[in-house]
Amino acid sequence: MRICMLLDAAYPTDIRVAKEARALVDDGHTVFILSRAVDDRPQREEVDGSVVVRRQLANSEVNRGIGGVVRGLVDLVTDVRRVWVDEAGSLVELEGIDVIHVHDLPLANTGLAIGDEYDIPVVLDLHENWPEAVRQYRAGHSPQNFLNPRYVASRLTTPIVRLKRIERQAVRRADRVIAVVPEGRDHYIYDCGADASDVFVVSNVVDLDTFDGEADPVPGYEDQFAVSYVGTLGGGHRGLDTVIKAVPHVVDDVPSLRIVIVGDGSDYKRELERLTSDLGLENVVEFTGRVPFDDVPKYVAATDVCLVPHRDNGHTATTIPHKLFQYMAVRKPVIVTNVAPLGRVVDETESGLVVPAGDVVAMADAIQRLSDDPELCDRLGENGREAVETKYNWAVESEHLLDMYRDLERETAPSAQEVASSP
């Protein structure tokens, strides 16, 4: 099949999109990725076997002047971005596209409009529960954001209730829906009304061919008991404040403790830095900032225990981050909260400790327990590695994606009667 993916971001950047595109190409499909333009990258190039087409697609780039304002208002009311429809439509006509594959909810209705216009199926790939993710991000925004008219307009025109309505309607209309975890699949079926036979699970597991599970550790942590978190600091639902608040409960008993937070953010990172300062923990809690992806396994390798301390809400309960499986690939024991997907995987694989979300004392106790028991750390880490080698890896998981496309191809293939009656 000839597949056109819609990605409202620059590419290559997204790990999930890259894994899916490579798997589809390796299975014999032709993949085009329509994404935003990047100044230093060509408008069209081949990346890992896929054809990447970059265009000026951001609202700020295309909706200028009076005409642009009108177009922007129409896009807002219909939730269909016409510039994407036009650009994707050109690819459909020129390249004979068979399927539109939409990444995430903001382009769902746009993809469905393309599908309707050209009578081709649409796959809706939902990386996360978008309405609940927006709710969490907005909760952590600074009041200063309300001084920005564009921000205020966005809040007024896309309330959570509208995003949820868009989600319900989109998953019912799409030919196929992809969720990240079984809990997400249940949400689209039972909360949104999607047909169960159309909803598949393709999880954010680690690609052992591209993630270096045997990386050499970054230096500097050899004499410390280092506990790390690696990822975006995009909002309070990450739960890292619980970890920092736990430090005073355990640091006297674990004087070599070092909390290493690898990643960047804005409002939430500043909140965490203020909390660290208020508690006088600057010598214990380290913020590295963003590091290149190739360095991620090196930081994981350098630490003794890894964290996914998410708070429990509609967003975190219906997705799972790549970082969990990356930690496991590097043989690190994990501490996660009892958010449904996290607790399920860690309990099943016996790869770490599960603590109640937001429980400072339980977090401190888990850090203390692992610092006191190196043999337990080794056993949990080896369990995690075994789990990703046998089950939670992309070589296994990609088959779910390919099975979905094979199913879609069978459904859309012309019948023998149609072929016989064609001129």
Side-chain angles (χ1 to χ4, degrees):
M1 302 183 82
R2 300 177 71 81
I3 302 162
C4 177
M5 292 184 166
L6 308 185
L7 178 66
D8 192 11
Y11 187 83
T13 51
D14 192 292
I15 299 173
R16 180 179 176 88
V17 177
K19 291 190 300 185
E20 291 184 348
R22 283 197 303 269
L24 290 166
V25 169
D26 290 345
D27 199 49
H29 301 281
T30 301
V31 177
F32 295 83
I33 303 173
L34 179 61
S35 71
R36 290 190 187 182
V38 184
D39 289 341
D40 60 344
R41 301 297 291 262
Q43 288 194 336
R44 183 177 176 126
E45 68 171 332
E46 183 175 310
V47 177
D48 292 334
S50 297
V51 179
V52 181
V53 179
R54 303 184 181 93
R55 295 289 185 266
Q56 299 290 332
L57 295 164
N59 288 334
S60 59
E61 296 167 338
V62 297
N63 291 333
R64 296 174 176 171
I66 297 300
V69 171
V70 173
R71 287 193 301 273
L73 289 172
V74 173
D75 288 356
L76 179 64
V77 171
T78 61
D79 193 47
V80 173
R81 304 186 199 179
R82 286 306 312 180
V83 64
W84 283 84
V85 175
D86 294 342
E87 292 290 353
S90 296
L91 284 175
V92 172
E93 294 176 357
L94 291 173
E95 306 291 351
I97 299 298
D98 301 301
V99 183
I100 298 295
H101 185 128
V102 183
H103 288 284
D104 264 327
L105 191 66
L107 286 176
N109 281 332
T110 299
L112 290 164
I114 299 166
D116 288 343
E117 193 165 318
Y118 292 94
D119 193 27
I120 55 178
V122 175
V123 174
L124 184 53
D125 192 341
L126 298 174
H127 301 193
E128 57 190 342
N129 181 333
W130 190 268
E132 291 297 334
V134 171
R135 187 196 302 277
Q136 298 306 316
Y137 291 126
R138 286 178 177 176
H141 286 171
S142 166
Q144 292 182 331
N145 284 303
F146 287 93
L147 300 177
N148 183 334
R150 187 182 294 273
Y151 177 82
V152 174
S154 175
R155 290 286 296 258
L156 292 175
T157 56
T158 55
I160 301 301
V161 65
R162 185 186 184 208
L163 295 177
K164 285 184 171 293
R165 182 172 66 250
I166 290 170
E167 179 188 54
R168 287 194 302 272
Q169 294 172 346
V171 299
R172 294 174 185 178
R173 291 177 57 198
D175 295 271
R176 295 293 185 275
V177 176
I178 301 176
V180 174
V181 287
E183 293 85 353
R185 181 176 187 270
D186 289 345
H187 165 66
Y188 299 125
I189 295 169
Y190 299 115
D191 299 336
C192 300
D195 189 322
S197 64
D198 293 337
V199 187
F200 292 71
V201 175
V202 180
S203 198
N204 285 332
V205 295
V206 66
D207 186 347
L208 293 175
D209 291 334
T210 60
F211 187 83
D212 186 2
E214 306 296 334
D216 293 330
V218 295
Y221 302 100
E222 295 83 2
D223 298 324
Q224 298 172 330
F225 185 76
V227 179
S228 69
Y229 170 92
V230 180
T232 304
L233 308 182
H237 59 287
R238 309 288 179 179
L240 286 163
D241 51 306
T242 300
V243 178
I244 294 173
K245 291 174 183 176
V247 171
H249 295 266
V250 70
V251 70
D252 288 343
D253 294 321
V254 189
S256 62
L257 179 64
R258 185 79 166 180
I259 305 296
V260 185
I261 299 176
V262 182
D264 214 346
S266 51
D267 294 340
Y268 187 52
K269 183 183 178 185
R270 287 190 289 270
E271 178 186 331
L272 295 173
E273 290 172 332
R274 284 194 298 269
L275 177 61
T276 299
S277 178
D278 291 345
L279 294 175
L281 299 174
E282 293 94 332
N283 293 328
V284 181
V285 180
E286 174 187 354
F287 296 88
T288 71
R290 186 179 181 277
V291 302
F293 180 73
D294 287 345
D295 288 345
V296 167
K298 300 176 185 179
Y299 274 91
V300 176
T303 55
D304 299 281
V305 176
C306 297
L307 299 165
V308 189
H310 287 175
R311 294 177 182 169
D312 192 5
N313 53 59
H315 174 218
T316 58
T318 52
T319 190
I320 200 164
H322 286 89
K323 65 173 67 68
L324 173 62
F325 304 106
Q326 292 168 351
Y327 298 158
M328 293 162 64
V330 191
R331 294 181 170 84
K332 297 301 174 179
V334 298
I335 301 174
V336 305
T337 50
N338 59 345
V339 175
L342 296 172
R344 171 176 55 78
V345 171
V346 172
D347 281 341
E348 171 208 326
T349 60
E350 298 183 1
S351 57
L353 304 181
V354 181
V355 301
D359 192 323
V360 171
V361 174
M363 179 63 70
D365 289 345
I367 294 172
Q368 175 81 61
R369 182 182 174 191
L370 292 177
S371 72
D372 289 343
D373 197 338
E375 291 184 1
L376 175 62
C377 288
D378 290 343
R379 184 168 69 253
L380 297 175
E382 288 300 327
N383 289 345
R385 177 67 190 191
E386 181 181 359
V388 299
E389 287 180 350
T390 58
K391 180 178 180 180
Y392 291 109
N393 66 75
W394 185 242
V396 171
E397 195 69 18
S398 62
E399 285 300 316
H400 301 158
L401 175 70
L402 301 179
D403 286 345
M404 186 214 72
Y405 264 98
R406 291 162 188 152
D407 180 65
L408 182 62
E409 193 166 19
R410 286 191 295 270
E411 182 178 295
T412 57
S415 67
Q417 183 177 357
E418 289 173 326
V419 172
S421 61
S422 61

